[in-house]
Amino acid sequence: MNYSKRNINIDIIKVVSLLLVIGVHFFLYTGYYSINYSITNSVFIVLRNICMACVPLFIIVTGYLNRNKVWSKKYYLNIGRVYLLYSLAIFILTLVDNKYVINTTLFKTALINILNYKYYGWYITMYVGLMLIAPIINLAFKNMDESTRKYAIINIILAISIPVTLADLFSNVRYSILAHILPNWWYYTWPLMYYIIGVAFAYNKNAIKNFFKKTRLLFLLTLIISTLLYYVLNIHWEFRAHVNIFIVIITTCIFSWLLNLDINVNSKLRTAIIFVSNNTLLAYLLSYIVDNITYPFVNQITNMNMRFSMFPIVVILNFILTILLVIIVRIILSILKKSIKMVKR
């Protein structure tokens, strides 16, 4: 397959997003949300907040690549393919939970798990809904001038991100009126915010380059300020994950950096990056299996600082094991596809 015209930077962003997803799960499974912050473990606040850019990066990329998409038969078929891939992954995960026993209970449980978006299926219920709505955003932005698009970004951040940030910072502060000084009813629509950021960047690539030049200081200040606030105010769980202004800035900076990255990769590495990029959804869903294998061992380390210091090793290991699972599943699917073609002959 000819990938010469493909933007490898987008594929790199998707691979990095997958790594960050695995990083977020590290904090979920290793007890980060129950620790008492100290000077020695505050570095993990930084790492965790960077990892929280994982899903937002995927959505920004989706908006960036889909700005011209409109409703059509092909568009709906693509949504259907995503749902079928999700259903296959959930079946595999149910099969593993069922100790690889194939019976009527397996198929019944798999169907229930698919409809309940079990395991890491929440992403699909969000993604499918977003894709049904996305063409409205695409049409709206197509008919906006550059100035209006800027206002659109500012207003959606004011409506979604800033109210959530205030709730994160001040909900636990006694007698504080700041937590809900701005209406936060729209916080659950945060995927629209990131999709719109992606679409806006796609219409003004120069804005990304200009933003890229200013991101280093902004990124550093955001990490320092967010870490200090999380530490002082003892914030572990946000009012709504992925939404506050710190995560918005961190995500946008990472997207800008990686999209403007001047990198040359050899053909083998390029092929590997594209393979992972094309299979990020399947990898994300199958990572549930790897997480349930590795973390019982990691959590045997009782010293929390030592446990958290395993972060780079565990994340890289889980990433490799997840990709190996993806390769196995893809090989099985390829064999089944060939077998079906032979039977039809």
Side-chain angles (χ1 to χ4, degrees):
M1 189 174 292
N2 184 14
Y3 291 127
S4 58
K5 293 182 179 180
R6 186 167 176 144
N7 185 349
I8 194 66
N9 293 63
I10 292 293
D11 295 303
I12 291 172
I13 293 172
K14 291 175 70 177
V15 173
V16 169
S17 301
L18 179 60
L19 271 168
L20 295 180
V21 165
I22 294 171
V24 162
H25 290 167
F26 175 91
F27 294 105
L28 177 65
Y29 287 110
T30 54
Y32 166 85
Y33 297 102
S34 61
I35 65 169
N36 293 317
Y37 289 142
S38 65
I39 297 297
T40 54
N41 65 30
S42 59
V43 65
F44 298 111
I45 301 175
V46 177
L47 287 174
R48 187 262 180 183
N49 283 353
I50 291 173
C51 288
M52 287 298 288
C54 54
V55 174
L57 276 174
F58 277 123
I59 301 174
I60 288 179
V61 167
T62 302
Y64 186 83
L65 294 176
N66 287 272
R67 72 169 189 180
N68 293 319
K69 294 293 177 67
V70 295
W71 293 292
S72 65
K73 182 180 178 181
K74 183 179 179 182
Y75 188 80
Y76 288 118
L77 284 174
N78 285 334
I79 295 175
R81 289 190 190 100
V82 169
Y83 199 86
L84 283 173
L85 182 63
Y86 152 75
S87 300
L88 171 65
I90 295 299
F91 178 81
I92 293 170
L93 293 170
T94 308
L95 179 63
V96 172
D97 272 358
N98 206 46
K99 309 299 182 185
Y100 304 98
V101 176
I102 299 176
N103 51 29
T104 53
T105 302
L106 168 69
F107 291 97
K108 179 182 176 181
T109 306
L111 179 60
I112 292 170
N113 289 344
I114 289 168
L115 296 176
N116 285 333
Y117 299 95
K118 198 178 174 185
Y119 307 109
Y120 296 151
W122 74 269
Y123 181 83
I124 298 301
T125 188
M126 178 276 292
Y127 179 84
V128 170
L130 177 62
M131 288 298 95
L132 292 173
I133 296 170
I136 299 174
I137 299 170
N138 298 342
L139 289 168
F141 267 73
K142 186 176 181 180
N143 292 288
M144 291 180 188
D145 56 33
E146 186 177 335
S147 176
T148 307
R149 290 183 192 125
K150 289 179 181 177
Y151 279 111
I153 295 292
I154 292 169
N155 279 280
I156 198 166
I157 290 175
L158 284 173
I160 299 174
S161 181
I162 300 301
V164 170
T165 306
L166 292 174
D168 287 342
L169 296 179
F170 300 111
S171 286
N172 293 326
V173 178
R174 196 175 184 184
Y175 305 128
S176 175
I177 64 169
L178 295 175
H180 304 290
I181 197 168
L182 289 178
N184 58 26
W185 194 90
W186 286 89
Y187 67 85
Y188 212 66
T189 60
W190 62 268
L192 293 175
M193 176 178 65
Y194 286 111
Y195 185 89
I196 286 173
I197 290 172
V199 172
F201 271 141
Y203 272 101
N204 192 351
K205 293 181 173 64
N206 289 329
I208 301 181
K209 292 181 179 178
N210 294 332
F211 185 78
F212 169 70
K213 296 174 183 176
K214 305 171 185 176
T215 50
R216 292 183 183 179
L217 180 59
L218 180 62
F219 184 77
L220 183 61
L221 285 174
T222 302
L223 285 180
I224 292 171
I225 292 170
S226 62
T227 302
L228 286 172
L229 289 171
Y230 275 54
Y231 181 85
V232 172
L233 299 174
N234 197 33
I235 298 171
H236 288 74
W237 288 97
E238 291 89 353
F239 179 65
R240 177 59 55 184
H242 308 297
V243 190
N244 72 40
I245 194 63
F246 306 120
I247 307 305
V248 174
I249 294 171
I250 289 168
T251 301
T252 310
C253 286
I254 293 173
F255 178 78
S256 176
W257 284 347
L258 295 179
L259 195 66
N260 285 279
L261 191 65
D262 187 10
I263 184 171
N264 292 314
V265 294
N266 60 48
S267 58
K268 290 183 179 179
L269 181 57
R270 186 183 183 90
T271 301
I273 290 171
I274 291 172
F275 175 81
V276 176
S277 173
N278 287 341
N279 288 281
T280 48
L281 176 59
L282 183 59
Y284 166 67
L285 295 169
L286 293 180
S287 68
Y288 179 87
I289 296 173
V290 178
D291 288 344
N292 281 272
I293 293 171
T294 57
Y295 286 112
F297 294 100
V298 176
N299 290 337
Q300 290 179 15
I301 303 172
T302 55
N303 184 294
M304 297 303 285
N305 287 341
M306 189 176 293
R307 185 189 297 179
F308 292 146
S309 70
M310 296 293 291
F311 174 82
I313 297 171
V314 174
V315 170
I316 292 170
L317 175 63
N318 281 17
F319 179 82
I320 293 170
L321 292 175
T322 298
I323 298 306
L324 288 174
L325 272 180
V326 170
I327 292 170
I328 292 169
V329 170
R330 283 299 182 188
I331 289 171
I332 293 171
L333 289 175
S334 178
I335 292 171
L336 289 173
K337 189 176 180 180
K338 289 179 181 178
S339 300
I340 292 169
K341 285 183 178 179
M342 289 180 67
V343 169
K344 286 182 177 180
R345 290 177 184 175

Coordinates of all heavy atoms in Angstrom, one line a residue, residues 147-201:
S147 N -12.5 35.0 11.9 CA -12.8 35.7 13.1 C -13.9 34.9 13.9 O -13.8 34.8 15.1 CB -13.2 37.1 12.8 OG -13.6 37.8 14.0
T148 N -14.9 34.5 13.2 CA -16.0 33.8 13.8 C -15.6 32.5 14.4 O -16.1 32.1 15.5 CB -17.2 33.6 12.8 OG1 -17.5 34.8 12.1 CG2 -18.4 33.0 13.4
R149 N -14.7 31.8 13.7 CA -14.2 30.5 14.2 C -13.5 30.7 15.6 O -13.6 29.9 16.5 CB -13.2 29.9 13.2 CG -14.0 29.3 12.0 CD -13.0 28.6 11.1 NE -13.6 28.4 9.8 CZ -13.2 28.8 8.6 NH1 -12.0 29.5 8.5 NH2 -13.8 28.5 7.5
K150 N -12.7 31.8 15.7 CA -12.1 32.1 17.0 C -13.1 32.3 18.1 O -12.9 31.8 19.2 CB -11.2 33.4 16.8 CG -9.9 33.2 16.0 CD -9.1 34.4 15.8 CE -7.9 34.2 15.0 NZ -7.1 35.5 14.8
Y151 N -14.2 33.1 17.8 CA -15.2 33.3 18.8 C -15.9 31.9 19.1 O -16.2 31.7 20.3 CB -16.3 34.2 18.2 CG -15.9 35.7 18.3 CD1 -15.6 36.5 17.2 CD2 -15.8 36.3 19.6 CE1 -15.2 37.8 17.3 CE2 -15.4 37.6 19.7 CZ -15.1 38.4 18.6 OH -14.8 39.7 18.7
A152 N -16.0 31.1 18.2 CA -16.6 29.7 18.4 C -15.8 29.0 19.4 O -16.3 28.4 20.4 CB -16.7 29.0 17.1
I153 N -14.4 29.0 19.2 CA -13.5 28.3 20.2 C -13.6 28.9 21.5 O -13.8 28.2 22.6 CB -12.1 28.3 19.6 CG1 -11.9 27.6 18.3 CG2 -11.1 27.8 20.7 CD1 -12.1 26.1 18.4
I154 N -13.5 30.2 21.6 CA -13.6 30.9 22.9 C -14.8 30.6 23.7 O -14.8 30.3 24.9 CB -13.4 32.4 22.7 CG1 -12.0 32.7 22.2 CG2 -13.7 33.2 24.0 CD1 -11.8 34.2 21.7
N155 N -16.0 30.7 23.0 CA -17.3 30.5 23.6 C -17.5 29.0 24.1 O -18.1 28.8 25.1 CB -18.4 30.9 22.7 CG -18.6 32.5 22.8 OD1 -19.2 33.0 23.7 ND2 -18.0 33.2 21.8
I156 N -17.0 28.1 23.3 CA -17.2 26.7 23.7 C -16.3 26.3 24.9 O -16.7 25.6 25.8 CB -17.0 25.7 22.6 CG1 -17.7 24.4 22.9 CG2 -15.5 25.5 22.3 CD1 -17.8 23.4 21.8
I157 N -15.2 27.0 25.0 CA -14.3 26.8 26.2 C -14.9 27.4 27.4 O -14.9 26.9 28.5 CB -12.9 27.3 25.9 CG1 -12.2 26.4 24.9 CG2 -12.1 27.4 27.2 CD1 -10.8 26.9 24.5
L158 N -15.5 28.6 27.2 CA -16.2 29.3 28.3 C -17.4 28.5 28.8 O -17.7 28.5 30.0 CB -16.7 30.7 27.8 CG -15.6 31.8 27.8 CD1 -16.2 33.1 27.1 CD2 -15.0 32.1 29.1
A159 N -18.1 27.8 27.9 CA -19.3 27.1 28.2 C -19.0 25.7 28.8 O -19.7 25.3 29.7 CB -20.1 26.9 27.0
I160 N -17.8 25.1 28.5 CA -17.6 23.8 28.9 C -16.3 23.7 29.8 O -16.4 23.1 31.0 CB -17.3 22.8 27.7 CG1 -18.6 22.8 26.8 CG2 -16.9 21.4 28.1 CD1 -18.5 22.0 25.5
S161 N -15.2 24.2 29.4 CA -14.0 24.0 30.2 C -13.8 24.8 31.4 O -13.5 24.3 32.5 CB -12.8 24.2 29.3 OG -11.6 24.0 29.9
I162 N -14.1 26.1 31.3 CA -13.8 27.1 32.4 C -14.8 26.7 33.6 O -14.3 26.7 34.8 CB -14.0 28.5 32.0 CG1 -13.0 28.9 30.9 CG2 -13.8 29.5 33.2 CD1 -11.5 28.7 31.3
P163 N -16.1 26.5 33.4 CA -16.9 26.1 34.5 C -16.4 24.8 35.2 O -16.5 24.7 36.5 CB -18.3 25.9 33.9 CG -18.3 26.7 32.7 CD -16.9 26.6 32.2
V164 N -16.0 23.8 34.5 CA -15.5 22.6 35.1 C -14.2 22.9 35.8 O -14.0 22.3 36.9 CB -15.2 21.5 34.0 CG1 -14.4 20.4 34.5 CG2 -16.5 21.1 33.4
T165 N -13.3 23.7 35.3 CA -12.1 24.1 36.0 C -12.4 24.7 37.4 O -11.8 24.4 38.4 CB -11.2 25.1 35.2 OG1 -11.0 24.5 33.9 CG2 -9.9 25.3 35.8
L166 N -13.4 25.6 37.4 CA -13.8 26.3 38.7 C -14.3 25.3 39.6 O -14.0 25.3 40.9 CB -14.8 27.4 38.4 CG -14.3 28.6 37.6 CD1 -15.4 29.5 37.3 CD2 -13.2 29.3 38.4
A167 N -15.1 24.3 39.1 CA -15.6 23.3 40.0 C -14.5 22.4 40.5 O -14.5 22.0 41.7 CB -16.7 22.4 39.2
D168 N -13.5 22.1 39.7 CA -12.4 21.3 40.2 C -11.6 22.0 41.3 O -11.2 21.3 42.3 CB -11.4 21.0 39.0 CG -12.0 20.0 38.0 OD1 -12.9 19.3 38.3 OD2 -11.4 20.0 36.9
L169 N -11.4 23.3 41.1 CA -10.6 24.0 42.1 C -11.3 24.4 43.4 O -10.7 24.4 44.4 CB -10.1 25.3 41.4 CG -9.2 25.1 40.2 CD1 -8.8 26.5 39.6 CD2 -7.9 24.3 40.5
F170 N -12.6 24.6 43.3 CA -13.2 25.2 44.4 C -14.4 24.5 45.1 O -14.9 24.9 46.1 CB -13.7 26.6 44.1 CG -12.6 27.6 43.6 CD1 -12.6 28.0 42.3 CD2 -11.7 28.0 44.5 CE1 -11.5 28.8 41.9 CE2 -10.7 28.9 44.1 CZ -10.6 29.3 42.8
S171 N -14.7 23.3 44.5 CA -15.8 22.5 45.1 C -15.6 22.1 46.5 O -16.5 22.0 47.3 CB -16.1 21.3 44.2 OG -16.8 21.7 43.0
N172 N -14.3 21.8 46.8 CA -14.0 21.4 48.2 C -13.6 22.5 49.1 O -13.2 22.3 50.3 CB -12.9 20.3 48.1 CG -13.4 19.0 47.5 OD1 -14.5 18.7 47.6 ND2 -12.5 18.4 46.7
V173 N -13.7 23.7 48.6 CA -13.3 24.9 49.4 C -14.6 25.4 50.2 O -15.6 25.7 49.5 CB -12.7 26.0 48.6 CG1 -12.4 27.2 49.5 CG2 -11.5 25.6 47.9
R174 N -14.5 25.4 51.5 CA -15.7 25.7 52.3 C -16.2 27.1 52.0 O -15.4 28.1 51.9 CB -15.4 25.6 53.8 CG -16.6 25.5 54.6 CD -16.2 25.2 56.1 NE -17.4 25.0 56.9 CZ -17.3 24.9 58.2 NH1 -16.2 24.8 58.8 NH2 -18.4 24.7 58.9
Y175 N -17.5 27.2 51.8 CA -18.2 28.5 51.6 C -17.8 29.2 50.3 O -18.1 30.3 50.1 CB -18.0 29.5 52.7 CG -18.3 28.9 54.1 CD1 -17.4 29.0 55.1 CD2 -19.6 28.4 54.3 CE1 -17.8 28.5 56.4 CE2 -19.9 27.8 55.6 CZ -19.0 27.9 56.6 OH -19.3 27.4 57.8
S176 N -17.2 28.5 49.4 CA -16.7 29.1 48.1 C -17.9 29.3 47.2 O -18.7 28.3 47.0 CB -15.7 28.2 47.4 OG -15.4 28.8 46.2
I177 N -18.0 30.5 46.6 CA -19.1 30.7 45.6 C -18.5 30.6 44.2 O -19.2 30.7 43.2 CB -19.7 32.1 45.8 CG1 -18.6 33.2 45.5 CG2 -20.4 32.2 47.1 CD1 -19.2 34.6 45.4
L178 N -17.2 30.4 44.1 CA -16.5 30.3 42.8 C -16.8 29.0 42.1 O -16.7 29.0 40.8 CB -15.0 30.6 43.0 CG -14.6 32.0 43.5 CD1 -13.1 32.0 43.7 CD2 -15.1 33.0 42.5
A179 N -17.0 27.9 42.8 CA -17.2 26.6 42.2 C -18.3 26.6 41.1 O -18.1 26.0 40.1 CB -17.5 25.6 43.2
H180 N -19.3 27.3 41.3 CA -20.5 27.3 40.4 C -20.9 28.7 39.9 O -22.0 28.9 39.6 CB -21.6 26.6 41.0 CG -21.3 25.2 41.5 ND1 -21.1 24.2 40.6 CD2 -21.2 24.7 42.7 CE1 -20.8 23.1 41.3 NE2 -20.8 23.4 42.6
I181 N -19.9 29.6 39.9 CA -20.2 31.0 39.5 C -20.6 31.1 38.0 O -21.3 31.9 37.5 CB -19.0 31.9 39.8 CG1 -19.5 33.4 39.8 CG2 -17.8 31.7 38.9 CD1 -18.5 34.4 40.4
L182 N -20.0 30.1 37.2 CA -20.4 30.0 35.8 C -21.2 28.7 35.6 O -21.0 27.7 36.3 CB -19.2 29.9 34.9 CG -18.3 31.2 34.7 CD1 -17.1 30.9 33.9 CD2 -19.2 32.3 34.1
P183 N -22.3 28.7 34.8 CA -23.1 27.5 34.6 C -22.3 26.4 34.0 O -21.6 26.5 33.0 CB -24.2 28.0 33.6 CG -23.6 29.2 32.9 CD -22.7 29.8 33.9
N184 N -22.4 25.2 34.7 CA -21.6 24.0 34.2 C -22.5 22.9 33.6 O -22.1 21.8 33.6 CB -20.7 23.5 35.3 CG -21.5 23.1 36.5 OD1 -22.7 22.8 36.4 ND2 -20.9 23.2 37.7
W185 N -23.7 23.3 33.2 CA -24.6 22.2 32.7 C -24.1 21.5 31.5 O -24.3 20.3 31.2 CB -25.9 22.9 32.3 CG -27.1 21.9 32.1 CD1 -28.0 21.5 33.0 CD2 -27.4 21.3 30.8 NE1 -28.8 20.6 32.4 CE2 -28.5 20.5 31.1 CE3 -26.9 21.4 29.5 CZ2 -29.1 19.7 30.1 CZ3 -27.5 20.6 28.5 CH2 -28.6 19.8 28.8
W186 N -23.2 22.2 30.7 CA -22.8 21.6 29.4 C -21.5 20.8 29.5 O -20.9 20.4 28.5 CB -22.6 22.7 28.4 CG -23.9 23.3 27.9 CD1 -24.6 24.3 28.4 CD2 -24.6 22.8 26.8 NE1 -25.8 24.5 27.7 CE2 -25.8 23.6 26.7 CE3 -24.4 21.8 25.8 CZ2 -26.8 23.3 25.7 CZ3 -25.4 21.6 24.8 CH2 -26.5 22.4 24.8
Y187 N -21.0 20.5 30.7 CA -19.7 19.8 30.9 C -19.6 18.5 30.2 O -18.6 18.0 29.7 CB -19.4 19.7 32.3 CG -20.2 18.7 33.1 CD1 -20.0 17.3 33.1 CD2 -21.3 19.2 33.9 CE1 -20.8 16.4 33.8 CE2 -22.1 18.3 34.6 CZ -21.9 16.9 34.5 OH -22.7 16.1 35.2
Y188 N -20.8 17.8 30.0 CA -20.8 16.4 29.5 C -20.6 16.5 27.9 O -20.3 15.4 27.3 CB -22.1 15.7 29.8 CG -21.9 14.2 30.0 CD1 -21.2 13.7 31.0 CD2 -22.5 13.3 29.1 CE1 -21.0 12.4 31.2 CE2 -22.4 12.0 29.3 CZ -21.6 11.5 30.3 OH -21.5 10.1 30.5
T189 N -20.6 17.6 27.3 CA -20.5 17.7 25.9 C -19.0 18.1 25.5 O -18.7 18.5 24.4 CB -21.4 18.8 25.3 OG1 -21.0 20.1 25.9 CG2 -22.8 18.5 25.6
W190 N -18.1 17.8 26.4 CA -16.7 18.1 26.2 C -16.1 17.5 24.9 O -15.2 18.1 24.3 CB -15.8 17.7 27.4 CG -15.8 16.2 27.7 CD1 -16.6 15.6 28.6 CD2 -14.9 15.2 27.2 NE1 -16.3 14.2 28.6 CE2 -15.2 14.0 27.8 CE3 -13.8 15.3 26.3 CZ2 -14.6 12.8 27.5 CZ3 -13.2 14.1 26.0 CH2 -13.5 12.9 26.6
P191 N -16.5 16.3 24.4 CA -16.0 15.8 23.1 C -16.2 16.8 22.0 O -15.4 16.9 21.1 CB -16.7 14.5 22.9 CG -17.1 14.0 24.3 CD -17.4 15.3 25.0
L192 N -17.4 17.6 22.0 CA -17.6 18.6 21.0 C -16.6 19.7 21.0 O -16.2 20.2 20.0 CB -19.0 19.2 21.2 CG -20.2 18.3 21.0 CD1 -21.5 19.0 21.4 CD2 -20.3 17.8 19.6
M193 N -16.1 20.0 22.2 CA -15.1 21.1 22.4 C -13.8 20.6 21.7 O -13.3 21.4 20.9 CB -14.8 21.3 23.8 CG -13.7 22.3 24.1 SD -13.5 22.6 25.9 CE -13.0 21.0 26.5
Y194 N -13.4 19.4 21.9 CA -12.1 19.0 21.3 C -12.3 18.8 19.8 O -11.3 19.0 19.0 CB -11.6 17.7 22.0 CG -11.0 18.0 23.4 CD1 -11.7 17.5 24.5 CD2 -9.8 18.7 23.5 CE1 -11.1 17.8 25.8 CE2 -9.3 19.0 24.8 CZ -10.0 18.5 25.9 OH -9.4 18.8 27.1
Y195 N -13.4 18.3 19.4 CA -13.7 18.1 17.9 C -13.6 19.4 17.2 O -13.0 19.6 16.2 CB -15.0 17.4 17.7 CG -15.3 17.1 16.3 CD1 -14.9 15.9 15.7 CD2 -15.9 18.0 15.4 CE1 -15.1 15.6 14.4 CE2 -16.2 17.8 14.1 CZ -15.8 16.5 13.6 OH -16.0 16.3 12.3
I196 N -14.2 20.5 17.8 CA -14.2 21.8 17.3 C -12.8 22.4 17.2 O -12.5 23.1 16.2 CB -15.2 22.7 18.1 CG1 -16.6 22.3 17.7 CG2 -14.9 24.2 17.8 CD1 -17.7 23.1 18.6
I197 N -12.0 22.1 18.2 CA -10.6 22.6 18.2 C -9.9 22.0 17.0 O -9.2 22.7 16.3 CB -9.9 22.2 19.5 CG1 -10.5 23.1 20.7 CG2 -8.4 22.4 19.4 CD1 -10.0 22.7 22.0
G198 N -10.1 20.7 16.8 CA -9.5 20.0 15.6 C -9.9 20.6 14.3 O -9.1 20.8 13.4
V199 N -11.2 20.8 14.2 CA -11.8 21.4 12.9 C -11.2 22.8 12.7 O -10.8 23.2 11.6 CB -13.3 21.5 13.0 CG1 -13.9 22.2 11.8 CG2 -13.9 20.0 13.0
A200 N -11.2 23.6 13.8 CA -10.7 25.0 13.7 C -9.2 25.0 13.2 O -8.8 25.8 12.4 CB -10.8 25.7 15.0
F201 N -8.4 24.1 13.8 CA -7.0 24.0 13.4 C -6.9 23.6 11.9 O -6.0 24.0 11.2 CB -6.2 23.0 14.3 CG -5.7 23.7 15.5 CD1 -5.7 23.0 16.7 CD2 -5.1 24.9 15.5 CE1 -5.1 23.5 17.9 CE2 -4.5 25.5 16.6 CZ -4.5 24.8 17.8

